[in-house]
């Protein structure tokens, strides 16, 4: 596999973002806690692009602003204060979060920065009330050990997490600011990863170090990967917000494939002698052709006094519809771009027609009207003049790019590993100093103190789990990789349940339940601890773990006791169990007569099936044998 | 290199100078065990003199400690920052004319691309480039009279503001906008309210709470609202224009004599006190909130009275205040004292004799309340009645700061103590409200 990727010159870099579990947020003393239910306050803002240190305004940012986007923010009292509302200057950098970041830096053998400078990274999509994200490099030049291969870490930074997007409709975006300001640690590798597999392993290794601090937040959305990918002759594409580690390698594979596909299209256009100058912003109103159309989308648009505008893409026939990777064609790329720049819902292109009620006759008329030749493709949209123009201009720009190169862009990951266009890549000059928080020096004392209490590295930890808890190596490894790594020793200690049982539950069982669609992220630490205490005290059978976990995931406010009651899982007393076993034996007298003591296995199976979760298997076994002996002598 | 400008001092400045490195150059810093390369960035005044700030290739700045063994080499010339003004919008000359008188503060600043800080936007074109919408509202001209943090504004600057505004109004225009720092904006608005009489057009004093170097700044919205009001509002008064709430939804206009900064940082820091705000702007439309106001064009000729007497003090009473403070003002030949008393208008009886002495020495003494909201009433308790008997003038629901400014202005017009007293009690610029409305509260 690696060789294919080295042939195409794959280069990837990772940025792992991990929420830190500090008591308060990075620049204020609010709790790092998300809220559900209605907000107590909402407010509206508009963001205006400012010039960077180098005097430039990001064109995409300027465009967003001209679209007149209104941002509605929602807040409650516990998780946000005036700082998140951008109504109060930031407080000093959170000391606890800084120390976690420095600890991670020391674990990755990085060089700590002498004097920390907080920067503002311009972000104009509304996810930050200020219009920028506060961020600061705490260390540079670290490394992570990947089974002997050293992956260089370029920098480790501490930054504030962004607000959560709740809804987006036309020109209104709704965000909740509870997440804004939660400390986020960013670990960025050098772009030296050469295969999808290696990327996945790197992400895993970084995650292990982060979790080893015991201060990494857990649950959906608490760790997010951005991936930078390029191939030879391709372009640097940034893929944002990958939440599932398992997706990292797939995303890289698919992105490499997408870029290869685009390069093939470029070659084909060259063969067809497509020329940049032939691509013109010559938009034609073709509404008349659709006067009696059967196409619902166009019909509705025309009824709302919108118009249909078309543009010709010379020599593009069949290229817009060609599949690059699953769910991705140049045509769909153009639709996303047209949506970004022109706010249009979608576009039509001749490669996918006739369809959607658009007839061959209509297509031919458009072709005639635009004087299209057979190798030309046509793209059209139904919207008002301004949106349609912006959209088609973007389409022409994208077509011109297709002649030359793969464009640099920021893409968003979908859950199946495919990606879609989000926005152009921001310019380099988007960082400027945060003047409201003074820079500060790291004292030698503080660094020395932290160096003295670095947590164990994963390797050391695995062998300790094997020695101290008697886990087998495979289980110990799984436990260290697990999000529940720091919870494990606590549970073992307080519940007195066998370490292996706890480890299996926290790794394999939870993974299996997740695969079956159980929302295990919702189970709280307290619920887990309580569950094992019940097992340890003999009030619940360990066989009931999967069932109870499934129930708890749906009952956030309840604990093990309620689960036992709701599921009817109360342990049978010795007496009750004896009666139950007797009953089963009685129901199967024929079997007992035939097989005598040999019936024990089947009877045991029947009993466990009927009593599962309410009895210990060992006890059932004993009682079945006792009953049999009594009967058969 | 110009070390004075770059913020580098002493040894570090000398090392940089020796390396021939200027701000914006790419430098390489070699230390015992590492090499760091980046663009040299200026140091701000509060930074120490032992580190060099560099911008790494990923855009982050870091401070690198310079030890005796550190070597610095210039390895390249970075991009020299340059202010590239976006293309100027087309200006329609048919629009009303508005002059923006700039005194300083966040509102009239733009980002300094070198330091990331802010510096004044000096010309109308600067403003148009930052807030292009202005060109669709009015033909804007600017007059920069100072560049001050508003805590540095003094009586001298009020006089100048008033004179400059009068000069522009006499030349003929639709309205004036005064860009001002918010800290003392309330005082200046009150000062202009007394100094500019018979206003034919609105004078809108505007500030901002979040600096213009952030995309979320309220500066542009407030400025747009102020210019629109100056050009089109039906009132001809001095008003303060700021955000009404935390939202960029509405701009609220407070009467210059009835407003005060009531929050350190919020966008809606200004409040109208003991009255409703004058007007509100939403989606570009102005809605009047007070029935009675001075209408645009009711007067044709402005009367300018720009003189203020600085010998007036505002004294906030507090438990155990030393009454000798009052004596000090007497010995320094002060002409007026505004007391910010407790509750309905009281000060401790232990201050009475010094107050009596002050009044005997022809000092005008007025009483306001540190409660801010509500009206004083010195007839309810003996303590109040005794103060009245001493000759203290009750100032009703007037804000303490407005009372101070008003007395400074009165004593800038007349030396006659009796005339001054009578003017102080007279409603000159709506500094008094006749009624305390239900629901008028903090």
């Amino acid at each position: 596999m690696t060789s294919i990727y080295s042939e195409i010159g794959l280069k990837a870099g990772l940025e792992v973002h991990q929420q830190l579990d500090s008591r308060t947020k990075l620049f204020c003393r609010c709790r790092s806690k998300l809220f559900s239910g209605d907000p107590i306050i909402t407010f509206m803002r508009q963001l205006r692009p400012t010039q960077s240190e180098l005097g430039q305004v990001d064109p995409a940012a300027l465009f967003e602003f001209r679209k007149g986007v209104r941002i509605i923010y929602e807040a409650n009292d516990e998780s946000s204060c005036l700082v998140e509302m951008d109504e109060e200057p930031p407080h000093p950098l959170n000391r606890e979060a800084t120390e976690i970041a420095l600890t991670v830096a020391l674990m990755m053998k990085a060089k700590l920065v002498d004097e920390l400078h907080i920067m503002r990274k311009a972000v104009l999509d509304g996810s930050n009330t200020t219009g920028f994200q506060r961020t600061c490099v705490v260390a540079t030049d670290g490394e992570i050990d990947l089974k002997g291969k050293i992956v260089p870490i370029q920098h480790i930074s501490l930054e504030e997490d962004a607000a959560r997007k709740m809804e987006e409709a036309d020109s209104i975006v709704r965000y909740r600011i509870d997440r804004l300001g939660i400390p986020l640690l960013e670990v960025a590798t050098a772009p030296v990863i050469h295969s999808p597999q290696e990327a996945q392993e790197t992400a895993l290794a970084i995650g292990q170090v982060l979790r080893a601090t015991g201060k990494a937040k857990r649950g959906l959305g608490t760790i997010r990967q951005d991936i930078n990918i390029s191939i030879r002759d391709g372009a640097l594409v940034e893929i944002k917000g990958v939440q599932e580690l398992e997706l990292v390698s797939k995303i890289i594979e698919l992105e490499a494939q997408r870029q290869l596909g685009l390069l093939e299209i470029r070659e084909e256009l060259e063969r067809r002698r497509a020329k940049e100058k032939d691509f013109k912003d010559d938009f034609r109103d073709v509404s008349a052709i659709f006067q009696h159309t059967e196409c619902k989308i166009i019909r509705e648009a025309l009824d709302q006094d919108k118009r249909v505008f078309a543009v010709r893409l010379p020599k593009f026939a069949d290229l817009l519809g060609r599949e690059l990777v699953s769910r991705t064609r140049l045509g769909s790329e153009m639709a996303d771009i047209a949506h970004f720049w022109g706010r249009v819902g979608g576009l039509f292109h001749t490669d996918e027609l006739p369809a959607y009620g658009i007839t061959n006759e209509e297509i031919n008329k458009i072709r005639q009207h635009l004087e299209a030749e057979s190798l030309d493709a046509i793209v059209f949209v139904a919207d008002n003049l301004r949106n349609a123009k912006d959209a088609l201009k973007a389409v022409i720009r994208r077509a011109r790019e297709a002649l030359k190169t793969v464009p640099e862009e920021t893409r968003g990951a979908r859950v199946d590993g495919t990606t879609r266009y989000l926005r152009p890549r921001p310019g380099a000059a988007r960082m400027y100093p945060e003047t409201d928080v003074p820079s500060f020096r790291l004292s030698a004392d503080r660094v020395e103190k932290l160096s003295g209490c670095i947590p164990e590295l994963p390797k050391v930890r695995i062998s300790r789990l094997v020695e101290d808890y008697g886990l087998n190596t495979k289980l110990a490894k799984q436990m260290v990789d697990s999000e529940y790594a720091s919870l494990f020793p606590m549970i073992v200690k307080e519940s007195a349940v066998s370490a292996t049982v706890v480890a299996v539950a926290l790794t394999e069982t939870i993974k299996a339940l997740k695969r079956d669609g159980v929302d295990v992220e919702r189970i709280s630490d307290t619920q887990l601890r309580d569950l094992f205490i019940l097992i340890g005290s003999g009030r619940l059978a360990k066989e009931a773990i999967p069932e109870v976990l499934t129930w708890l995931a749906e009952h956030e406010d309840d604990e093990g006791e309620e689960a036992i009651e709701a599921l009817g899982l109360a342990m049978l007393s010795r007496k009750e169990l004896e009666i139950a076993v007797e009953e089963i034996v009685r129901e199967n007298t024929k079997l007992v007569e035939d097989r005598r003591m040999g019936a024990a296995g089947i009877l045991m199976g029947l009993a466990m099936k009927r009593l599962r979760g309410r009895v210990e298997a060992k006890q059932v076994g004993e009682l079945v044998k006792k009953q049999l002996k009594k009967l058969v002598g | 290199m110009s070390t004075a400008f770059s913020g580098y001092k002493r040894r570090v400045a000398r090392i940089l100078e020796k390396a021939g490195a200027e701000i914006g150059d790419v430098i390489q810093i070699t230390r015992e065990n590492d090499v760091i390369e980046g663009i040299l960035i200026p140091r701000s005044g509060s930074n120490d003199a032992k580190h060099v700030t560099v911008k790494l290739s990923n855009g982050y700045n870091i401070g690198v400690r310079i030890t005796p063994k550190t070597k610095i080499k210039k390895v390249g010339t970075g991009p020299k920052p340059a202010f590239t003004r976006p293309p100027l919008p087309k200006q329609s000359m048919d629009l009303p004319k508005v002059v923006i008188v700039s005194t300083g503060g966040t509102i009239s600043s733009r980002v300094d691309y070198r330091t990331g800080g802010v510096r004044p936007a000096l010309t109308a074109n600067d403003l148009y480039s930052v807030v292009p919408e202005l060109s669709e509202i009015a033909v804007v001209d600017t007059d920069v009279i100072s560049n001050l943090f508003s805590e540095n504004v003094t009586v001298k600057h009020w006089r100048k503001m008033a004179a400059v505004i009068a000069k522009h109004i006499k030349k003929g225009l639709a309205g004036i906008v005064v860009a001002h720092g918010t800290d003392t904006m309330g005082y200046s608005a009150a000062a202009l309210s007394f100094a500019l009489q018979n206003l034919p057009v609105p004078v809108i004093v505007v500030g901002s709470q979040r600096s213009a170097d952030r995309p979320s700044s309220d500066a542009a919205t407030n400025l747009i609202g102020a210019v629109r009001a100056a050009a089109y509002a039906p009132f001809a008064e001095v008003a303060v224009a700021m955000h009404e709430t935390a939202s960029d939804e509405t701009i609220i206009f407070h009467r210059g004599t009835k407003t005060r900064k009531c929050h350190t940082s919020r966008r809606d820091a200004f409040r109208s006190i003991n009255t409703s705000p004058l007007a509100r702007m939403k989606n570009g439309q102005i809605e009047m909130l007070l029935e009675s106001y001075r209408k645009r064009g009711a007067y044709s000729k402005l009367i300018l009275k720009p003189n203020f007497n600085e010998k007036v003090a505002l004294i906030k009473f507090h438990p155990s205040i030393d009454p000798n403070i009052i004596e000090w003002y007497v010995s320094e030949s002060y002409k007026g004292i505004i007391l910010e008393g407790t509750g309905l208008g009281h000060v401790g009886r232990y201050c009475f004799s010094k107050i009596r002495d002050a009044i005997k020495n022809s000092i005008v003494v007025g009483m306001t309340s540190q409660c801010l909201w509500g009206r004083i009433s010195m007839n309810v308790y003996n303590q109040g009645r005794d103060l009245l008997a001493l000759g203290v003038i009750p100032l009703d629901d007037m804000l303490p700061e407005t009372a101070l400014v008003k007395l400074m202005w009165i004593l800038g017009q007349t030396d006659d103590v009796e005339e001054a007293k009578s003017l102080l009690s007279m409603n000159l610029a709506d500094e008094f409200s006749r009624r305390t409305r239900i629901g008028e509260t903090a």
Side-chain angles (χ1 to χ4, degrees):
Chain A
M1 277 300 269
T2 312
S3 68
I4 303 171
Y5 290 105
S6 67
E7 229 167 78
I8 61 168
L10 174 75
K11 277 199 260 176
L14 288 178
E15 278 179 21
V16 178
H17 301 93
Q18 168 72 60
Q19 280 185 358
L20 300 182
D21 199 16
S22 55
R23 274 183 295 279
T24 62
K25 289 188 177 179
L26 196 55
F27 289 105
C28 67
R29 302 296 89 101
C30 289
R31 295 270 308 278
S32 297
K33 200 178 160 192
L34 306 186
F35 74 94
S36 47
D38 292 331
I40 60 154
I41 180 178
T42 59
F43 55 100
M44 188 280 288
R45 293 278 168 74
Q46 287 186 298
L47 294 176
R48 180 177 284 266
T50 52
Q51 294 197 330
S52 76
E53 271 174 297
L54 296 174
Q56 290 143 3
V57 175
D58 191 18
L62 194 62
F63 186 83
E64 285 271 335
F65 169 66
R66 298 229 167 107
K67 283 199 276 189
V69 174
R70 293 154 67 89
I71 308 148
I72 311 277
Y73 292 106
E74 305 176 342
N76 84 344
D77 202 34
E78 187 185 14
S79 59
S80 312
C81 64
L82 289 189
V83 173
E84 288 96 327
M85 287 177 71
D86 188 40
E87 288 275 56
E88 179 174 299
H91 303 192
L93 192 68
N94 180 320
R95 213 183 148 86
E96 185 190 6
T98 312
E99 289 186 350
I100 303 169
L102 294 172
T103 303
V104 168
L106 291 168
M107 289 170 82
M108 292 182 176
K109 297 185 189 140
K111 288 178 206 148
L112 303 189
V113 164
D114 299 328
E115 188 186 57
L116 271 58
H117 288 247
I118 322 288
M119 303 296 288
R120 299 170 170 176
K121 194 193 283 180
V123 181
L124 280 128
D125 61 5
S127 59
N128 289 72
T129 47
T130 48
F132 50 75
Q133 178 189 33
R134 297 189 183 94
T135 173
C136 129
V137 167
V138 300
T140 58
D141 299 321
E143 58 180 52
I144 196 118
D145 188 347
L146 209 66
K147 296 183 203 148
K149 189 196 163 179
I150 298 294
V151 176
I153 300 294
Q154 274 182 341
H155 67 258
I156 296 164
S157 330
L158 193 53
E159 52 191 37
E160 49 182 2
D161 204 347
R164 288 195 285 155
K165 191 188 272 186
M166 308 300 282
E167 197 184 357
E168 185 167 9
D170 295 330
S171 57
I172 293 182
V173 198
R174 194 173 273 273
Y175 283 97
R176 201 160 264 209
I177 59 172
D178 47 7
R179 198 179 69 183
L180 179 61
I182 293 182
L184 207 55
L185 190 67
E186 180 189 277
V187 177
T189 73
V192 296
I193 297 167
H194 298 293
S195 80
Q197 195 50 38
E198 199 178 300
Q200 182 129 345
E201 283 163 12
T202 307
L204 184 66
I206 292 173
Q208 279 180 348
V209 173
L210 296 174
R211 277 192 299 277
T213 61
K215 291 284 190 181
K217 259 192 192 286
R218 227 180 47 217
L220 194 66
T222 55
I223 185 161
R224 303 194 291 274
Q225 268 101 188
D226 292 354
I227 314 173
N228 297 305
I229 308 167
S230 67
I231 61 168
R232 191 176 306 116
D233 295 333
L236 187 61
V237 166
E238 187 182 23
I239 294 167
K240 286 246 175 238
V242 183
Q243 302 203 359
E244 300 283 340
L245 182 65
E246 290 76 17
L247 275 182
V248 170
S249 62
K250 188 164 183 204
I251 284 171
I252 297 179
E253 278 167 33
L254 292 176
E255 176 57 20
Q257 209 179 318
R258 191 187 70 91
Q259 295 199 16
L260 283 174
L262 288 171
L263 291 175
E264 277 167 25
I265 287 180
R266 182 181 74 171
E267 267 170 47
E268 178 60 27
L269 286 167
E270 234 166 77
R271 264 196 297 278
R272 294 181 184 180
R273 298 176 192 284
K275 294 277 177 304
E276 203 183 327
K277 62 172 173 41
D278 297 336
F279 292 80
K280 293 178 188 131
D281 287 352
D282 180 9
F283 312 133
R284 306 275 182 90
D285 187 338
V286 293
S287 310
I289 296 172
F290 293 98
Q291 220 170 357
H292 305 292
T293 190
E294 298 285 309
C295 172
K296 269 194 197 155
I297 305 168
I298 295 184
R299 179 79 271 146
E300 268 172 34
L302 291 175
D303 287 346
Q304 291 167 31
D305 282 338
K306 292 176 177 172
R307 315 284 298 167
V308 183
F309 293 91
V311 73
R312 189 172 64 97
L313 300 185
K315 311 273 200 288
F316 262 76
D318 300 332
L319 299 181
L320 298 178
R322 185 191 283 186
E323 187 168 80
L324 301 166
V325 294
S326 141
R327 296 176 75 181
T328 314
R329 295 156 203 270
L330 190 50
S332 63
E333 299 272 284
M334 283 181 173
D336 284 336
I337 289 166
H339 172 71
F340 176 84
W341 293 97
R343 306 154 294 273
V344 296
L347 51 73
F348 299 99
H349 61 79
T350 41
D351 282 4
E352 57 174 357
L353 301 176
Y356 313 112
I358 297 172
T359 61
N360 260 323
E361 199 194 336
E362 286 164 335
I363 300 165
N364 288 335
K365 277 186 186 163
I366 299 187
R367 284 192 164 276
Q368 268 173 18
H369 190 77
L370 271 74
E371 294 146 42
E373 292 171 26
S374 60
L375 264 186
D376 298 348
I378 287 168
V379 171
F380 54 101
V381 294
D383 213 307
N384 63 46
L385 177 64
R386 188 172 150 223
N387 287 358
K389 257 190 165 173
D390 284 341
L392 292 180
K393 263 189 196 165
V395 165
I396 286 288
R397 263 203 310 274
R398 182 66 188 83
R400 285 199 193 113
E401 279 172 339
L403 303 184
K404 290 182 288 188
T405 179
V406 177
E408 290 198 347
E409 60 197 30
T410 302
R411 303 180 66 85
R414 297 197 190 99
V415 284
D416 63 356
T418 60
T419 60
R420 67 188 178 86
Y421 176 89
L422 281 186
R423 53 182 175 266
R425 256 175 71 79
R430 61 192 288 233
M431 291 256 228
Y432 56 109
E434 167 55 274
T435 39
D436 295 343
V437 187
S439 58
F440 65 95
R441 270 167 294 136
L442 289 179
S443 72
D445 278 2
R446 198 167 164 199
V447 173
E448 200 177 314
K449 219 172 112 194
L450 287 170
S451 309
C453 44
I454 293 179
E456 297 166 313
L457 279 169
K459 266 191 295 194
V460 185
R461 199 154 208 191
I462 290 169
S463 51
R464 198 168 55 80
L465 287 181
V466 171
E467 274 167 37
D468 295 1
Y469 292 92
L471 301 185
N472 65 42
T473 317
K474 187 183 159 222
L475 198 52
K477 247 189 106 204
Q478 283 181 0
M479 199 61 251
V480 168
D481 288 349
S482 155
E483 291 180 345
Y484 302 92
S486 54
L487 200 58
F488 169 74
M490 200 190 297
I491 288 180
V492 172
K493 194 170 165 215
E494 69 187 9
S495 70
V497 173
S498 132
T500 304
V501 170
V502 177
V504 169
L506 293 180
T507 57
E508 287 165 10
T509 309
I510 284 197
K511 218 180 273 173
L513 289 174
K514 194 174 171 186
R515 217 170 18 239
D516 294 345
V518 177
D519 195 357
V520 291
E521 315 278 1
R522 298 172 76 137
I523 305 171
S524 71
D525 289 4
T526 326
Q527 284 177 321
L528 282 171
R529 290 166 61 180
D530 179 64
L531 166 64
F532 285 100
I533 288 171
L534 286 173
I535 296 170
S537 60
R539 301 192 40 218
L540 185 69
K542 63 176 191 290
E543 284 77 10
I545 291 176
E547 206 178 335
V548 175
L549 286 176
T550 308
W551 191 86
L552 287 175
E554 284 159 15
H555 299 82
E556 279 171 89
D557 301 325
D558 289 331
E559 297 198 347
E561 294 278 7
E562 282 89 350
I564 290 173
E565 200 172 306
L567 297 169
L569 285 176
M571 292 285 273
L572 296 183
S573 66
R574 178 95 186 166
K575 187 79 201 150
E576 287 169 316
L577 182 57
E578 269 172 25
I579 295 168
V581 170
E582 264 177 44
E583 201 177 280
I584 289 168
V585 173
R586 215 174 24 245
E587 285 165 12
N588 294 280
T589 37
K590 175 112 186 27
L591 183 82
V592 177
E593 279 164 19
D594 290 354
R595 302 225 188 159
R596 306 185 64 85
M597 282 307 278
I602 299 171
L603 289 176
M604 167 89 187
L606 287 169
M608 284 309 288
K609 198 174 163 194
R610 187 175 299 172
L611 308 172
R612 190 171 172 78
R614 301 164 63 197
V615 291
E616 291 281 354
K618 210 175 121 199
Q619 224 181 359
V620 176
E622 276 168 24
L623 281 172
V624 166
K625 277 183 196 150
K626 201 173 139 197
Q627 283 285 326
L628 277 178
K629 263 187 197 152
K630 221 160 62 181
L631 282 175
V632 301
Chain B
M1 80 175 196
S2 49
T3 43
F5 186 73
S6 70
Y8 287 99
K9 287 170 268 187
R10 301 198 283 280
R11 187 161 56 85
V12 174
R14 285 197 299 278
I15 295 175
L16 288 170
E17 206 161 339
K18 224 172 84 189
E22 285 185 32
I23 299 301
D25 286 342
V26 182
I27 58 167
Q28 199 177 61
I29 305 173
T30 310
R31 303 189 296 180
E32 285 80 1
N33 48 13
D34 63 349
V35 180
I36 293 163
E37 201 173 289
I39 297 169
L40 183 63
I41 295 289
R43 296 273 291 171
S44 84
S46 54
N47 288 145
D48 70 16
K50 291 173 186 157
H51 294 74
V52 166
T53 310
V54 291
K55 181 178 282 299
L56 303 176
S57 61
N58 55 20
Y60 284 95
N61 292 2
I62 60 169
V64 183
R65 188 172 170 80
I66 303 303
T67 64
K69 284 188 183 161
T70 310
K71 289 194 178 69
I72 294 182
K73 199 167 82 180
K74 174 178 165 179
V75 293
T77 322
K80 290 285 177 231
F83 180 69
T84 45
R85 179 181 289 151
L88 285 176
K90 275 195 207 107
Q91 174 74 67
S92 159
M93 283 305 175
D94 307 338
L95 294 170
K97 189 181 166 195
V98 170
V99 171
I100 300 179
V101 176
S102 173
T103 68
T106 303
I107 181 77
S108 51
S109 308
R110 62 176 171 79
V111 189
D112 184 330
Y113 47 84
R114 296 182 66 108
T115 60
V118 288
R119 63 182 214 173
L122 295 176
T123 66
N125 281 349
D126 280 348
L127 278 177
Y128 283 153
S129 74
V130 186
V131 191
E133 295 95 319
L134 293 180
S135 67
E136 291 158 23
I137 301 169
V139 177
V140 173
D141 205 352
T142 55
D143 191 340
V144 179
I145 60 171
S146 61
N147 182 26
L148 294 169
F149 288 122
S150 75
E151 58 273 28
N152 294 329
V153 168
T154 64
V155 159
K156 183 178 83 188
H157 303 105
W158 295 345
R159 191 180 300 138
K160 177 142 188 213
M161 274 179 231
V164 167
I165 292 168
K167 180 188 81 185
H168 286 296
I169 290 178
K170 275 172 194 154
K171 279 196 229 157
L173 42 60
I176 293 275
V177 169
V178 181
H180 201 291
T182 53
D183 276 9
T184 67
M185 187 160 75
Y187 293 85
S188 293
L192 294 176
S193 303
F194 295 111
L196 301 168
Q197 298 188 343
N198 294 0
L199 268 176
V201 296
V203 173
I204 311 294
V205 187
V206 64
S208 82
Q209 284 284 81
R210 310 270 84 198
S211 58
D213 56 343
R214 57 178 72 216
S216 60
S217 171
D218 53 338
T221 343
N222 288 349
L223 193 59
I224 292 167
V227 170
R228 197 182 287 280
Y232 304 103
F235 61 83
E237 298 193 17
V238 177
V240 164
M242 289 292 281
H243 269 49
E244 185 180 16
T245 64
S247 290
D248 287 337
E249 199 90 58
T250 48
I251 301 297
I252 198 86
F253 297 88
H254 304 283
R255 202 163 243 169
T257 50
K258 297 298 276 182
T259 191
R260 188 176 189 284
K261 189 175 184 179
C262 292
H263 197 279
T264 57
S265 60
R266 286 181 65 120
R267 286 166 174 75
D268 55 0
F270 278 80
R271 288 292 151 103
S272 282
I273 292 176
N274 297 327
T275 181
S276 150
L278 182 60
R280 171 187 294 123
M281 186 181 297
K282 189 173 181 181
N283 299 327
Q285 299 298 313
I286 297 168
E287 175 200 357
M288 293 306 299
L289 302 174
L290 285 174
E291 275 174 28
S292 148
Y293 58 90
R294 293 160 209 252
K295 298 200 171 46
R296 179 191 281 274
Y299 298 99
S300 56
K301 205 160 176 304
L302 172 81
I303 301 169
L304 171 67
K305 292 187 170 173
N307 291 334
F308 294 85
N309 188 332
E310 283 173 305
K311 291 285 184 188
V312 180
L314 174 58
I315 302 176
K316 182 171 188 141
F317 171 79
H318 58 80
S320 280
I321 192 171
D322 183 349
N324 289 319
I325 288 166
I326 298 169
E327 192 178 295
W328 182 84
Y329 283 117
V330 176
S331 70
E332 290 291 310
S333 330
Y334 268 61
K335 304 284 178 229
I337 291 176
I338 298 296
L339 292 169
E340 201 178 306
T342 56
L344 289 168
H346 306 130
V347 295
R349 197 163 282 280
Y350 51 89
C351 298
F352 282 18
S353 74
K354 297 294 177 191
I355 291 173
R356 184 183 297 115
D357 291 349
I359 293 171
K360 270 193 189 145
N361 278 282
S362 301
I363 293 181
V364 180
V365 180
M367 177 65 79
T368 61
S369 174
Q370 51 192 250
C371 297
L372 304 180
W373 267 272
R375 195 177 294 274
I376 63 165
S377 182
M378 299 174 71
N379 295 313
V380 178
Y381 296 100
N382 278 339
Q383 203 93 335
R385 287 192 285 269
D386 293 346
L387 281 166
L388 287 176
L390 290 180
V392 172
I393 303 163
L395 296 179
D396 226 47
D397 73 334
M398 203 187 333
L399 280 169
E401 296 89 347
T402 299
L404 168 81
V405 172
K406 183 180 181 185
L407 191 51
M408 283 176 157
W409 178 78
I410 289 170
L411 294 170
Q413 315 304 312
T414 177
D415 292 328
D416 184 319
V417 173
E418 288 315 310
E419 191 189 356
K421 283 182 181 170
S422 108
L423 281 170
L424 189 57
S425 306
M426 212 180 274
N427 197 8
L428 302 178
D430 295 306
E431 65 273 26
F432 294 111
S433 315
R434 275 177 210 286
R435 302 171 58 225
T436 310
R437 302 181 327 161
I438 301 168
E440 198 69 73
T441 167

